[in-house]
Amino acid sequence: MDTRIPQSHGGFTLLEAVAAISILGLALTLAAPAFEKAIKNREAGVCRESRIRVQTVIQGEKALGEEMDGSFQELLECYTECYGQFCPAGGEYIWQEDEEAPGENKLFVRCSIHK
């Protein structure tokens, strides 16, 4: 009669587990900068869209020539209070009037981070 205990061949060896973890770590290390760049690009895009939206409102106010109790900067600050921070990276918006800009668009909303 054979009294040997059969050996199980299921599971991973320590070497296989270390190799798999090392490969995963290397893949994450290579992917992290690309992921971070994608996040920054998306934040800049959201900021740009918000600035364009606010800039359009301010230009509309200027075009209508309505009397305002304050400056366009105060209007911008009012929008920031009402609707929250526009820039996802935490930049602050200011408005600038550029007389040398071509066309009728002389007002620009700038972000302190994304310019």
Side-chain angles (χ1 to χ4, degrees):
M1 183 177 343
D2 193 9
T3 60
R4 285 186 270 160
I5 300 173
Q7 291 185 342
S8 173
H9 291 288
F12 296 104
T13 65
L14 180 61
L15 183 61
E16 291 170 332
V18 169
I21 291 171
S22 298
I23 291 171
L24 273 173
L26 181 63
L28 288 174
T29 301
L30 295 174
F35 185 68
E36 186 175 328
K37 184 178 178 181
I39 289 174
K40 287 185 179 187
N41 285 342
R42 185 62 194 141
E43 285 178 348
V46 168
C47 181
R48 182 179 60 251
E49 292 168 8
S50 295
R51 282 184 286 145
I52 290 170
R53 190 174 336 123
V54 172
Q55 184 172 314
T56 303
V57 169
I58 291 176
Q59 288 170 347
E61 293 284 338
K62 184 178 181 185
L64 291 174
E66 294 180 4
E67 289 296 319
M68 294 174 39
D69 292 338
S71 67
F72 290 109
Q73 184 64 33
E74 289 175 358
L75 177 64
L76 183 60
E77 290 169 5
C78 177
Y79 272 80
T80 303
E81 284 180 27
C82 293
Y83 300 109
Q85 188 67 30
F86 295 111
C87 178
E92 293 184 19
Y93 286 176
I94 59 168
W95 77 275
Q96 295 177 339
E97 191 166 1
D98 186 2
E99 293 297 329
E100 297 178 6
E104 294 182 22
N105 184 8
K106 305 287 184 195
L107 282 176
F108 297 96
V109 177
R110 304 280 188 225
C111 176
S112 60
I113 295 176
H114 298 108
K115 307 292 179 198

